Amino acid sequence: IQPAGTAGSDPLSKLTAPPEVPGIPRPVWLTILGSVPTALGWYGYYKFSVEEELFQYEMQTENRATGCGGYGTLLPFVFGVIIGGPLSLLHIPGGETILEGAGVWILLGQVNLYRRVNELCLEEKEKLGLDEPPLYSWWALLPPPLDVVVGLRQVHFLSEYWRVKREEPAEKDVIAEDLFPFISSPRFTLKDFIRKPSKWFWFTKDWKDFDIEFLKN
């Protein structure tokens, strides 16, 4: 773990930097830049980094941790897949259980991450322009693409939180703010998301809400 400001400010330096405290702001555009060309390989490093940064930050500021850190989060999952995958393919008893356990572990870790991001954002809600927590943690349990929706929102709001803690100037994230406005929007319900296409994409921003009674809150 490195002190804040160790990494350079250019994208490549941020993509390859070890975890820092306070954490490195990694906006959505940067996360996509690292994840897409590597077929989500870099996202594994992102997951490790943000978990380790939160763990170390909590230990330094509160002398306690509410997560397992980068190693504690990823190693059980990786070993579960490495061990359970082959056993399952060979139809050896216990293989599927180990594999399913690894999936449950990483999923529960994601729910906990969203909870922690909510708590942090509430600490700086005025500077972040928030009236309530930005995420519904349980959305991590939803099927794609809805789990991706909350995942991208977590990336955005955690990045903004670290930016505020580092007192860095705001920089426009075109992907989160213009192309896919749902990423940076205030928290919304599933009904709101379905009913309001203005939250979806850049080309649906001017679409009117769907007048469907059961989708109204």
Side-chain angles (χ1 to χ4, degrees):
I1 197 81
Q2 301 290 324
T6 303
S9 59
D10 61 285
L12 182 59
S13 295
K14 287 187 175 182
L15 289 173
T16 57
E20 296 184 5
V21 175
I24 299 172
R26 301 176 184 88
V28 174
W29 70 263
L30 182 68
T31 305
I32 292 176
L33 179 65
S35 300
V36 172
T38 60
L40 295 182
W42 182 84
Y43 182 77
Y45 183 67
Y46 169 85
K47 177 68 174 172
F48 166 81
S49 297
V50 298
E51 291 284 358
E52 190 65 18
E53 288 171 345
L54 286 171
F55 179 87
Q56 297 294 339
Y57 180 72
E58 288 177 333
M59 291 299 297
Q60 290 185 20
T61 58
E62 303 177 25
N63 200 31
R64 69 181 182 91
T66 59
C68 299
Y71 296 102
T73 299
L74 287 190
L75 286 183
F77 172 73
V78 171
F79 284 132
V81 171
I82 292 175
I83 296 171
L87 292 179
S88 180
L89 290 174
L90 295 172
H91 303 289
I92 296 176
E96 290 188 4
T97 301
I98 295 174
L99 201 58
E100 290 172 358
V104 170
W105 175 258
I106 202 69
L107 189 59
L108 291 178
Q110 201 70 1
V111 173
N112 190 44
L113 173 62
Y114 297 162
R115 177 194 62 78
R116 294 155 78 198
V117 170
N118 275 341
E119 291 181 352
L120 292 173
C121 286
L122 283 181
E123 293 177 6
E124 300 289 351
K125 63 180 182 179
E126 293 183 1
K127 294 181 180 179
L128 293 171
L130 297 173
D131 295 322
E132 61 180 342
L135 311 174
Y136 285 110
S137 300
W138 63 270
W139 279 32
L141 306 176
L142 295 175
L146 293 174
D147 61 338
V148 178
V149 169
V150 69
L152 290 170
R153 287 174 58 76
Q154 172 263 302
V155 171
H156 172 74
F157 285 103
L158 180 57
S159 176
E160 284 295 286
Y161 174 79
W162 288 136
R163 178 189 65 77
V164 167
K165 296 304 291 186
R166 288 178 175 229
E167 299 182 344
E168 295 181 1
E171 295 183 2
K172 188 176 183 64
D173 187 338
V174 174
I175 291 179
E177 298 176 37
D178 292 339
L179 299 183
F180 302 96
F182 67 84
I183 297 176
S184 58
S185 295
R187 189 166 68 169
F188 48 81
T189 65
L190 283 175
K191 288 184 176 181
D192 279 336
F193 186 55
I194 296 172
R195 188 169 62 90
K196 298 180 178 181
S198 57
K199 295 184 181 295
W200 298 352
F201 310 107
W202 70 97
F203 57 85
T204 63
K205 275 188 173 182
D206 297 326
W207 291 16
K208 295 181 179 180
D209 295 352
F210 297 136
D211 190 16
I212 302 175
E213 190 62 33
F214 81 92
L215 289 178
K216 297 179 179 180
N217 291 323

